[in-house]
Amino acid sequence: MKVYKFGGASVRHADGVRNLHKIIAGERDLFIVVSAMGKTTNALERVFEGVQRGDRAAATAEIAVLREYHAAIIDDLWHAPQQLPQVEELFAGLEEVVAHADYRPADAELWYDRIVAYGELLSTTIVSAYLAHAGVANRWIDMRRCFVTGQRHKDAGVDIEASAPLLRAEVGRGPERVFVGQGFIGGAPDGTTTTLGREGSDYSAAVVAHILDAESMSVWKDVDGVLNADPKIFPDAVKIAELNYLDTIELAYSGAQIIHPKTIKPLQNKNIPLYVRPFDDKRKPGTVIRGVSAPVDVPILILKKNQVLLTIRPRDFSFVLEEKFAAIFLLLERYRVKTNLIHNSAVNLSLCIDESWHVDEAVAALRGEGFDVMKIDCMELLTIRGYTDSLWARYACGPHVFVRQATQSTVRIVRKRV
């Protein structure tokens, strides 16, 4: 069994879906994981925001735009006006959710998952139907029934032990040898839909590969492989031919967008190689990630945007001792605040964290526990592995730098957005 994962950019239009068919043509024993098409997840987040505000008209208008977008892809694929009953049912279900939403702020993450999951359900329904139309026998699989997650919404983890018999049973119950399933989504023990975090489709594919003992996993992207930097930000980016699992985990933790941070562990546990390959030319080798690799001989630059810098100080000017650390991080976990960098002195604790809905609530709670908290928005976290003197001078100095941490090989810089 092989596992292929196709991101939203790969299937953002009909030509992309046709190219997916070209890539998988002739394959057997293949599990295809597909993300939502194009910017559908962003659009569904706007639907969710309309529900949050109680603005059903705005949410319904976003759904109408999404319906037209998907209908245009379907018509192009079939070269004629075409309605897929399963797609119509999904849109009707989404409209029903919005029309009868009894939203409560305490359930924000639950409602987010319930709405945003429709993106993957729509894309995989269309891809599966088109592959069948093109002569590729396949089975559509509802990953909400195969992936058992925790009860945590918007950033759930998959219980692999509980999920394995469900997925294996689904794959083994029919004659088809090609399967199409959603990335990014699963099902909680109470039956509600969960999502696995943004870019969680890579993680989904890795869990499928682990459970099915796949010979390999391939992620098809609109780049030639793993680059040493985002070419949209750093124009002189170059491709890295190979990486090992540990380096990839570190890069993902630092914010590299090419691979989701949770993706590597399920693959590493069974020594399954991961290929990052260009969607536009399957003949190119891309990048391979495996247990052992040649050393990387170019600097790697990772920019993590949408950060907030918190500086926390005990109001009584006591030292920031271990028990205060524990109280601070337990409180941040309660508000689902993710910390990306920690910097401390005797009386200050500085944290670079992701922007989120709950940051202000966490700040208020910290102040209520006797801490002074300074919050600075519009920050970025830049990580440079294998930095040079010229990169240090270019990025690690200047008035826009607030925090700088350096080891012999890596520097991490918290700076004002530039």
Side-chain angles (χ1 to χ4, degrees):
M1 180 71 71
K2 295 180 183 177
V3 176
Y4 284 179
K5 182 261 175 175
F6 295 91
S10 301
V11 292
R12 68 186 184 275
H13 44 49
D15 284 343
V17 179
R18 281 189 278 265
N19 194 44
L20 181 154
H21 171 240
K22 188 186 302 182
I23 288 172
I24 67 103
E27 296 272 14
R28 283 180 55 81
D29 295 316
L30 178 66
F31 199 108
I32 304 167
V33 174
V34 185
S35 299
M37 291 176 158
K39 300 295 184 181
T40 295
T41 299
N42 293 337
L44 287 166
E45 286 179 340
R46 292 193 293 272
V47 173
F48 166 72
E49 289 162 5
V51 170
Q52 273 188 310
R53 298 191 307 268
D55 190 347
R56 287 191 171 90
T60 302
E62 288 286 354
I63 294 172
V65 173
L66 275 175
R67 187 189 284 273
E68 290 181 9
Y69 168 67
H70 286 83
I73 292 174
I74 293 168
D75 291 350
D76 193 342
L77 287 171
W78 270 262
H79 301 291
Q82 175 78 15
Q83 277 199 336
L84 299 179
Q86 307 97 311
V87 170
E88 294 303 312
E89 288 174 14
L90 288 169
F91 274 113
L94 178 57
E95 289 167 344
E96 184 80 5
V97 169
V98 169
H100 297 93
D102 183 17
Y103 175 81
R104 295 186 307 161
D107 296 328
E109 284 82 8
L110 185 152
W111 281 97
Y112 176 94
D113 285 359
R114 189 176 179 187
I115 291 169
V116 170
Y118 275 91
E120 276 67 21
L121 296 171
L122 287 163
S123 65
T124 52
T125 298
I126 293 169
V127 167
S128 177
Y130 177 72
L131 290 179
H133 171 74
V136 179
N138 72 93
R139 177 143 27 94
W140 182 88
I141 292 182
D142 188 341
M143 300 305 290
R144 296 172 298 177
R145 308 291 174 256
C146 296
F147 275 2
V148 179
T149 74
Q151 198 58 53
R152 182 184 181 95
H153 287 278
K154 204 170 181 281
D155 187 23
V158 178
D159 182 335
I160 295 179
E161 185 175 353
S163 303
L166 300 175
L167 182 61
R168 288 176 185 146
E170 184 65 28
V171 166
R173 71 174 177 82
E176 300 89 355
R177 301 311 306 156
V178 175
F179 308 92
V180 179
Q182 307 81 40
F184 182 57
I185 68 174
D190 68 353
T192 56
T193 298
T194 54
T195 63
L196 311 182
R198 289 301 296 264
E199 308 302 327
S201 292
D202 290 349
Y203 174 50
S204 296
V207 173
V208 170
H210 178 101
I211 290 173
L212 300 181
D213 295 315
E215 64 179 84
S216 66
M217 170 181 157
S218 295
V219 177
W220 298 88
K221 290 185 173 284
D222 56 355
V223 292
D224 283 347
V226 176
L227 306 182
N228 73 320
D230 184 342
K232 298 174 185 174
I233 303 171
F234 306 100
D236 52 353
V238 297
K239 184 173 77 73
I240 301 170
E242 54 185 272
L243 285 164
N244 61 52
Y245 293 131
L246 292 178
D247 282 346
T248 306
I249 290 170
E250 283 200 23
L251 297 179
Y253 175 78
S254 298
Q257 295 294 307
I258 199 75
I259 297 297
H260 189 280
K262 295 187 287 189
T263 298
I264 299 302
K265 184 175 182 293
L267 301 175
Q268 183 183 25
N269 287 351
K270 291 196 172 180
N271 200 30
I272 298 170
L274 168 61
Y275 295 89
V276 180
R277 304 174 67 182
F279 182 69
D280 60 352
D281 189 348
K282 65 184 292 185
R283 296 169 299 178
K284 291 182 179 179
T287 297
V288 60
I289 299 167
R290 54 193 170 199
V292 179
S293 70
V296 178
D297 58 1
V298 293
I300 298 175
L301 294 85
I302 303 163
L303 184 65
K304 194 173 181 67
K305 298 183 177 181
N306 302 319
Q307 299 294 291
V308 174
L309 181 63
L310 300 183
T311 300
I312 304 166
R313 173 181 295 173
R315 206 165 283 152
D316 60 5
F317 286 91
S318 63
F319 291 106
V320 183
L321 299 175
E322 284 80 0
E323 62 269 20
K324 293 191 184 292
F325 271 61
I328 290 167
F329 285 106
L330 281 171
L331 190 149
L332 293 176
E333 170 61 21
R334 187 191 317 159
Y335 289 98
R336 303 168 66 110
V337 172
K338 181 181 177 184
T339 303
N340 298 311
L341 179 141
I342 302 169
H343 187 82
N344 69 287
S345 66
V347 294
N348 285 340
L349 175 64
S350 293
L351 304 174
C352 183
I353 63 174
D354 286 344
E355 286 182 355
S356 77
W357 302 332
H358 303 301
V359 169
D360 289 337
E361 298 171 60
V363 168
L366 285 166
R367 289 170 177 161
E369 292 292 324
F371 295 98
D372 286 329
V373 183
M374 181 173 67
K375 175 188 172 214
I376 305 176
D377 295 305
C378 302
M379 304 298 286
E380 299 175 332
L381 174 60
L382 175 63
T383 301
I384 309 175
R385 294 193 63 194
Y387 63 89
T388 61
D389 289 343
S390 61
L391 288 173
W392 178 280
R394 183 175 179 183
Y395 294 112
C397 303
H400 60 289
V401 173
F402 281 65
V403 179
R404 181 175 59 218
Q405 288 183 346
T407 66
Q408 190 172 13
S409 62
T410 301
V411 60
R412 307 189 77 203
I413 302 150
V414 182
R415 65 183 192 176
K416 199 70 176 175
R417 186 181 300 157
V418 296

PDB file of all heavy atoms in Angstrom, residues 195-210:
ATOM      1  N   THR A 195     -11.324  18.395  14.079  1.00  0.00           N
ATOM      2  CA  THR A 195     -10.269  18.672  13.106  1.00  0.00           C
ATOM      3  C   THR A 195      -8.923  18.555  13.804  1.00  0.00           C
ATOM      4  O   THR A 195      -8.818  18.674  15.025  1.00  0.00           O
ATOM      5  CB  THR A 195     -10.424  20.061  12.461  1.00  0.00           C
ATOM      6  OG1 THR A 195     -10.295  21.075  13.464  1.00  0.00           O
ATOM      7  CG2 THR A 195     -11.776  20.177  11.772  1.00  0.00           C
ATOM      8  N   LEU A 196      -7.884  18.340  13.012  1.00  0.00           N
ATOM      9  CA  LEU A 196      -6.572  17.984  13.541  1.00  0.00           C
ATOM     10  C   LEU A 196      -5.592  19.146  13.529  1.00  0.00           C
ATOM     11  O   LEU A 196      -4.392  18.939  13.666  1.00  0.00           O
ATOM     12  CB  LEU A 196      -5.990  16.818  12.732  1.00  0.00           C
ATOM     13  CG  LEU A 196      -6.929  15.623  12.516  1.00  0.00           C
ATOM     14  CD1 LEU A 196      -6.213  14.526  11.739  1.00  0.00           C
ATOM     15  CD2 LEU A 196      -7.463  15.093  13.828  1.00  0.00           C
ATOM     16  N   GLY A 197      -6.085  20.376  13.377  1.00  0.00           N
ATOM     17  CA  GLY A 197      -5.207  21.532  13.289  1.00  0.00           C
ATOM     18  C   GLY A 197      -4.933  21.891  11.847  1.00  0.00           C
ATOM     19  O   GLY A 197      -4.937  21.024  10.965  1.00  0.00           O
ATOM     20  N   ARG A 198      -4.694  23.182  11.593  1.00  0.00           N
ATOM     21  CA  ARG A 198      -4.414  23.604  10.223  1.00  0.00           C
ATOM     22  C   ARG A 198      -3.220  22.833   9.676  1.00  0.00           C
ATOM     23  O   ARG A 198      -2.250  22.570  10.362  1.00  0.00           O
ATOM     24  CB  ARG A 198      -4.138  25.115  10.176  1.00  0.00           C
ATOM     25  CG  ARG A 198      -5.359  25.991  10.412  1.00  0.00           C
ATOM     26  CD  ARG A 198      -6.469  25.748   9.387  1.00  0.00           C
ATOM     27  NE  ARG A 198      -6.078  26.092   8.033  1.00  0.00           N
ATOM     28  CZ  ARG A 198      -6.345  27.261   7.447  1.00  0.00           C
ATOM     29  NH1 ARG A 198      -6.996  28.201   8.097  1.00  0.00           N
ATOM     30  NH2 ARG A 198      -5.978  27.484   6.215  1.00  0.00           N
ATOM     31  N   GLU A 199      -3.294  22.484   8.421  1.00  0.00           N
ATOM     32  CA  GLU A 199      -2.310  21.642   7.733  1.00  0.00           C
ATOM     33  C   GLU A 199      -2.315  20.212   8.276  1.00  0.00           C
ATOM     34  O   GLU A 199      -1.375  19.447   8.063  1.00  0.00           O
ATOM     35  CB  GLU A 199      -0.889  22.235   7.833  1.00  0.00           C
ATOM     36  CG  GLU A 199      -0.777  23.679   7.406  1.00  0.00           C
ATOM     37  CD  GLU A 199      -1.235  23.926   5.983  1.00  0.00           C
ATOM     38  OE1 GLU A 199      -1.052  23.042   5.144  1.00  0.00           O
ATOM     39  OE2 GLU A 199      -1.778  25.010   5.740  1.00  0.00           O
ATOM     40  N   GLY A 200      -3.398  19.819   8.953  1.00  0.00           N
ATOM     41  CA  GLY A 200      -3.461  18.489   9.551  1.00  0.00           C
ATOM     42  C   GLY A 200      -3.643  17.361   8.569  1.00  0.00           C
ATOM     43  O   GLY A 200      -3.618  16.192   8.971  1.00  0.00           O
ATOM     44  N   SER A 201      -3.828  17.652   7.284  1.00  0.00           N
ATOM     45  CA  SER A 201      -3.980  16.568   6.306  1.00  0.00           C
ATOM     46  C   SER A 201      -2.716  15.732   6.172  1.00  0.00           C
ATOM     47  O   SER A 201      -2.780  14.522   5.917  1.00  0.00           O
ATOM     48  CB  SER A 201      -4.381  17.138   4.942  1.00  0.00           C
ATOM     49  OG  SER A 201      -5.679  17.673   4.982  1.00  0.00           O
ATOM     50  N   ASP A 202      -1.548  16.352   6.325  1.00  0.00           N
ATOM     51  CA  ASP A 202      -0.298  15.584   6.311  1.00  0.00           C
ATOM     52  C   ASP A 202      -0.304  14.560   7.446  1.00  0.00           C
ATOM     53  O   ASP A 202       0.091  13.398   7.275  1.00  0.00           O
ATOM     54  CB  ASP A 202       0.905  16.511   6.466  1.00  0.00           C
ATOM     55  CG  ASP A 202       1.158  17.373   5.251  1.00  0.00           C
ATOM     56  OD1 ASP A 202       0.538  17.126   4.207  1.00  0.00           O
ATOM     57  OD2 ASP A 202       1.977  18.303   5.351  1.00  0.00           O
ATOM     58  N   TYR A 203      -0.746  15.001   8.610  1.00  0.00           N
ATOM     59  CA  TYR A 203      -0.835  14.115   9.771  1.00  0.00           C
ATOM     60  C   TYR A 203      -1.810  12.976   9.490  1.00  0.00           C
ATOM     61  O   TYR A 203      -1.537  11.812   9.803  1.00  0.00           O
ATOM     62  CB  TYR A 203      -1.259  14.937  10.982  1.00  0.00           C
ATOM     63  CG  TYR A 203      -1.538  14.154  12.249  1.00  0.00           C
ATOM     64  CD1 TYR A 203      -0.627  13.223  12.735  1.00  0.00           C
ATOM     65  CD2 TYR A 203      -2.688  14.395  12.977  1.00  0.00           C
ATOM     66  CE1 TYR A 203      -0.881  12.528  13.906  1.00  0.00           C
ATOM     67  CE2 TYR A 203      -2.960  13.710  14.153  1.00  0.00           C
ATOM     68  CZ  TYR A 203      -2.046  12.779  14.609  1.00  0.00           C
ATOM     69  OH  TYR A 203      -2.307  12.097  15.776  1.00  0.00           O
ATOM     70  N   SER A 204      -2.955  13.299   8.896  1.00  0.00           N
ATOM     71  CA  SER A 204      -3.925  12.259   8.538  1.00  0.00           C
ATOM     72  C   SER A 204      -3.275  11.195   7.668  1.00  0.00           C
ATOM     73  O   SER A 204      -3.431   9.986   7.895  1.00  0.00           O
ATOM     74  CB  SER A 204      -5.111  12.868   7.782  1.00  0.00           C
ATOM     75  OG  SER A 204      -5.837  13.768   8.570  1.00  0.00           O
ATOM     76  N   ALA A 205      -2.565  11.635   6.635  1.00  0.00           N
ATOM     77  CA  ALA A 205      -1.938  10.692   5.716  1.00  0.00           C
ATOM     78  C   ALA A 205      -0.895   9.838   6.423  1.00  0.00           C
ATOM     79  O   ALA A 205      -0.761   8.636   6.148  1.00  0.00           O
ATOM     80  CB  ALA A 205      -1.308  11.454   4.545  1.00  0.00           C
ATOM     81  N   ALA A 206      -0.137  10.440   7.343  1.00  0.00           N
ATOM     82  CA  ALA A 206       0.880   9.678   8.079  1.00  0.00           C
ATOM     83  C   ALA A 206       0.237   8.619   8.964  1.00  0.00           C
ATOM     84  O   ALA A 206       0.760   7.502   9.086  1.00  0.00           O
ATOM     85  CB  ALA A 206       1.726  10.631   8.921  1.00  0.00           C
ATOM     86  N   VAL A 207      -0.890   8.945   9.584  1.00  0.00           N
ATOM     87  CA  VAL A 207      -1.585   7.955  10.421  1.00  0.00           C
ATOM     88  C   VAL A 207      -2.117   6.820   9.558  1.00  0.00           C
ATOM     89  O   VAL A 207      -2.033   5.637   9.927  1.00  0.00           O
ATOM     90  CB  VAL A 207      -2.708   8.627  11.229  1.00  0.00           C
ATOM     91  CG1 VAL A 207      -3.543   7.583  11.963  1.00  0.00           C
ATOM     92  CG2 VAL A 207      -2.126   9.616  12.235  1.00  0.00           C
ATOM     93  N   VAL A 208      -2.672   7.151   8.391  1.00  0.00           N
ATOM     94  CA  VAL A 208      -3.125   6.100   7.461  1.00  0.00           C
ATOM     95  C   VAL A 208      -1.951   5.203   7.082  1.00  0.00           C
ATOM     96  O   VAL A 208      -2.065   3.962   7.094  1.00  0.00           O
ATOM     97  CB  VAL A 208      -3.755   6.732   6.197  1.00  0.00           C
ATOM     98  CG1 VAL A 208      -3.991   5.668   5.128  1.00  0.00           C
ATOM     99  CG2 VAL A 208      -5.069   7.424   6.538  1.00  0.00           C
ATOM    100  N   ALA A 209      -0.817   5.808   6.744  1.00  0.00           N
ATOM    101  CA  ALA A 209       0.362   5.021   6.358  1.00  0.00           C
ATOM    102  C   ALA A 209       0.798   4.102   7.494  1.00  0.00           C
ATOM    103  O   ALA A 209       1.150   2.935   7.271  1.00  0.00           O
ATOM    104  CB  ALA A 209       1.494   5.954   5.951  1.00  0.00           C
ATOM    105  N   HIS A 210       0.784   4.620   8.698  1.00  0.00           N
ATOM    106  CA  HIS A 210       1.173   3.826   9.865  1.00  0.00           C
ATOM    107  C   HIS A 210       0.232   2.631  10.064  1.00  0.00           C
ATOM    108  O   HIS A 210       0.675   1.492  10.224  1.00  0.00           O
ATOM    109  CB  HIS A 210       1.154   4.725  11.104  1.00  0.00           C
ATOM    110  CG  HIS A 210       1.482   4.025  12.385  1.00  0.00           C
ATOM    111  ND1 HIS A 210       2.723   4.113  12.978  1.00  0.00           N
ATOM    112  CD2 HIS A 210       0.724   3.239  13.194  1.00  0.00           C
ATOM    113  CE1 HIS A 210       2.716   3.385  14.084  1.00  0.00           C
ATOM    114  NE2 HIS A 210       1.515   2.858  14.247  1.00  0.00           N
TER     115      HIS A 210
END
